[in-house]
Amino acid sequence: MITLVRGFKDILPAETALWQHLEDVARQLFDDFGFAELRIPVLEQTELFARSIGADTDIVEKEMYTFADRSGASLTMRPEATASVVRAYIEHKLYAKDPVWKLYTIGPMFRRERPQKGRYRQFYQINAEVFGLEDPRADAELILLLMTLMGRLELSGIMLHINSLGCAACRPHFKEALRSFLTESTAELCSDCLRRREKNPLRIFDCKVPACKEAMLDAPSILDHLCDQCRSHFETVQASLERFQIPYQTNHRLVRGLDYYTRTAFEVLAEALGAQDAVAGGGRYDSLVKALGGPDQPGIGFAIGVDRLIELLAHQRQGLEKRPHLFIAALGTGAQDRAFGWLQELRMQNVRTEMDFADRSLKAQMRRANKLGAPYVLIVGDRELEEGSAELRNMSTKEQEKVRLQDLVEVVVNKTRN
Ligand code: HAM
């Protein structure tokens, strides 16, 4: 048997109703917040990710699905969406029409991480990006959108963590302070973190090696090293969250796994998820558009990990399963033929209708209707056809009524709408 590739999965019909529900709620909310959908390709030139996410990140160093195209070009299956959205903003000169754009995109991402619960090699993200707004209220507005979505999905047990990662003016000073702290400390760092200490010491906050975690316990806080502008920006973000009663925790250890962030960074964590507890993450990236060859326009965004969100919502799955409104139990060739016509007619009226093409016994067809969970069954045989009527059975009350064939569609449409 040929099986799935490790780290990849199928999303089976029992689950897809919840995926659709979640996407519907998200699309409606994006609409309310003035976002337009952007659809981007799965493949991009490798350089796009190396230059945006950062060459020293885990994603670029070891997790990308990169291959040489037959032409020799290096291509990569997108590990995230932000880089592609920025590329599209620049490539199509969207900024020339208006620098402010609010865009969302939904789709699969690919990272060759070690598979485990909540961590897949193909996973799905709902991604939001805002360009051209520097005001800290834009940060708050985006977080508000994210938390409103969580609220509409009736998600509980989540916590919003926020931090500021500073800017080109203040972050270098913090990196220096962190480097000296680590050089002076007697704690041993893993070989990766020794390398990170020189190149990108903020990454060490994310290391899972116990010795490194211990070494970072008393690490200085970036929040004590922000420049005046970054501090004031962060204060306004917090004040805005408080104004809209969004609970949050500041967490100076939150550094995010991608290098493009400046100032506000945030994550939504859910304890119930276990080790992979981040349901969503995002932040501001004010230098990225320019770094990728575009105008000097700020950006901010987030991505929700849909697979993880679905896991948290799994208990909501039941009510969403779709059942047919009507099953037609047609007995005999003539009745089967008429039923085939009604099937199409009723479906055109948005009545989910099913029948059994095998023309089995009434008992077998009723069993099938029950299995599908149809609340009504229309029973019709050649004799009923001659009489010009059929029996409509209510499956919960077991009551049956005679329906004239000429009124059939109207009667069924009325019943199933109630
Ligand atoms: P990220 O934190 O790398 O950020 O990913 C966002 C979310 O995607 C995570 O919080 C998690 O829920 C989900 N996720 C990531 N990797 C996996 C995986 N291997 N399996 C399952 N779920 C996963 C970004 O991707 C940024 N582009 C977010 C952003 C948008 N920042 C600004 N704009």
Side-chain angles (χ1 to χ4, degrees):
M1 187 180 63
I2 301 173
T3 57
L4 278 166
V5 175
R6 189 166 132 79
F8 289 70
K9 63 175 178 173
D10 298 310
I11 299 158
L12 297 173
E15 295 164 70
T16 46
L18 185 52
W19 284 73
Q20 287 171 1
H21 166 68
L22 197 155
E23 285 178 13
D24 289 348
V25 175
R27 282 177 196 279
Q28 179 60 53
L29 199 62
F30 278 130
D31 202 45
D32 296 343
F33 275 74
F35 281 67
E37 185 178 8
L38 174 74
R39 299 199 182 191
I40 45 176
V42 165
L43 272 188
E44 295 276 3
Q45 298 191 41
T46 304
E47 200 194 341
L48 174 69
F49 301 114
R51 272 177 51 194
S52 51
I53 300 171
D56 309 324
T57 56
D58 280 356
I59 298 179
V60 173
E61 269 184 349
K62 41 191 179 193
E63 295 169 1
M64 294 202 306
Y65 281 97
T66 297
F67 59 92
D69 184 37
R70 285 171 200 273
S71 67
S74 178
L75 301 181
T76 293
M77 290 169 75
R78 60 179 185 198
E80 60 116 40
T82 311
S84 307
V85 177
V86 173
R87 179 199 47 67
Y89 177 73
I90 300 170
E91 189 166 349
H92 304 288
K93 296 195 174 54
L94 297 184
Y95 56 83
K97 189 170 166 225
D98 183 349
V100 180
W101 281 85
K102 300 197 258 183
L103 301 168
Y104 77 91
T105 187
I106 301 179
M109 308 295 153
F110 305 85
R111 294 184 194 172
R112 202 178 184 288
E113 296 188 81
R114 198 170 51 80
Q116 62 179 87
K117 181 172 169 285
R119 196 204 266 156
Y120 312 100
R121 289 180 169 177
Q122 174 174 338
F123 59 97
Y124 293 78
Q125 283 188 347
I126 294 177
N127 200 93
E129 311 291 350
V130 176
F131 296 104
L133 294 177
E134 204 165 358
D135 195 287
R137 283 172 300 178
D139 309 34
E141 186 188 28
L142 195 73
I143 297 176
L144 203 58
L145 160 60
L146 175 61
M147 299 315 281
T148 308
L149 177 59
M150 301 293 174
R152 285 206 187 161
L153 292 167
E154 294 169 29
L155 200 69
S156 55
I158 50 172
M159 184 36 97
L160 168 69
H161 285 218
I162 61 169
N163 192 19
S164 174
L165 297 173
C167 64
C170 54
R171 199 184 323 172
H173 298 297
F174 175 67
K175 280 189 180 170
E176 224 16 82
L178 194 54
R179 240 177 240 126
S180 8
F181 163 81
L182 290 164
T183 320
E184 280 159 24
S185 121
T186 51
E188 298 254 321
L189 294 176
C190 72
S191 57
D192 276 347
C193 284
L194 280 174
R195 198 165 40 86
R196 289 176 182 137
R197 188 175 66 188
E198 301 322 312
K199 280 184 155 177
N200 195 350
L202 264 74
R203 284 266 79 76
I204 305 180
F205 279 110
D206 265 351
C207 183
K208 300 282 180 286
V209 174
C212 301
K213 276 184 153 174
E214 174 132 8
M216 295 300 275
L217 279 180
D218 296 322
S221 162
I222 192 159
L223 296 175
D224 297 331
H225 289 78
L226 297 179
C227 62
D228 288 348
Q229 285 91 329
C230 286
R231 183 172 311 112
S232 142
H233 186 101
F234 194 46
E235 280 167 6
T236 308
V237 173
Q238 294 176 77
S240 308
L241 293 178
E242 281 153 29
R243 172 173 174 183
F244 294 104
Q245 280 133 30
I246 304 289
Y248 68 89
Q249 284 175 15
T250 52
N251 175 2
H252 75 92
R253 293 168 192 279
L254 174 67
V255 290
R256 310 279 298 123
L258 308 98
D259 277 353
Y260 48 61
Y261 293 108
T262 50
R263 294 191 168 163
T264 317
F266 53 92
E267 278 183 358
V268 176
L269 305 180
E271 223 174 281
L273 287 175
Q276 303 304 319
D277 60 352
V279 211
R284 189 166 264 288
Y285 46 86
D286 288 347
S287 338
L288 184 59
V289 178
K290 188 153 184 237
L292 289 178
D296 193 3
Q297 287 294 342
I300 179 161
F302 67 72
I304 300 171
V306 181
D307 309 71
R308 294 184 190 173
L309 190 54
I310 289 284
E311 196 174 314
L312 290 171
L313 296 175
H315 62 278
Q316 291 186 15
R317 209 163 70 184
Q318 237 146 40
L320 295 168
E321 273 165 28
K322 293 255 166 63
R323 299 173 304 158
H325 294 113
L326 177 77
F327 186 90
I328 308 178
L331 303 153
T333 348
Q336 280 267 319
D337 187 57
R338 286 294 292 278
F340 191 35
W342 295 327
L343 204 62
Q344 175 66 2
E345 225 177 305
L346 286 163
R347 285 172 179 170
M348 291 305 100
Q349 301 291 324
N350 303 110
V351 179
R352 286 193 297 272
T353 313
E354 292 296 327
M355 68 177 279
D356 179 4
F357 290 148
D359 190 13
R360 281 177 290 190
S361 69
L362 180 61
K363 202 168 153 201
Q365 295 200 38
M366 293 306 280
R367 221 181 295 126
R368 175 119 189 95
N370 257 321
K371 195 167 178 182
L372 295 174
Y376 290 95
V377 177
L378 185 79
I379 304 166
V380 59
D382 289 342
R383 201 191 64 223
E384 282 84 358
L385 278 190
E386 268 171 36
E387 286 169 8
S389 66
E391 292 289 325
L392 185 63
R393 183 176 172 87
N394 180 323
M395 295 296 273
S396 44
T397 63
K398 314 274 186 255
E399 277 165 21
Q400 269 182 213
E401 62 181 287
K402 219 179 241 322
V403 182
R404 289 195 313 170
L405 295 184
Q406 68 215 58
D407 307 332
L408 180 69
V409 174
E410 198 189 330
V411 171
V412 171
V413 167
N414 283 335
K415 289 251 184 244
T416 50
R417 288 230 170 103
N418 295 329

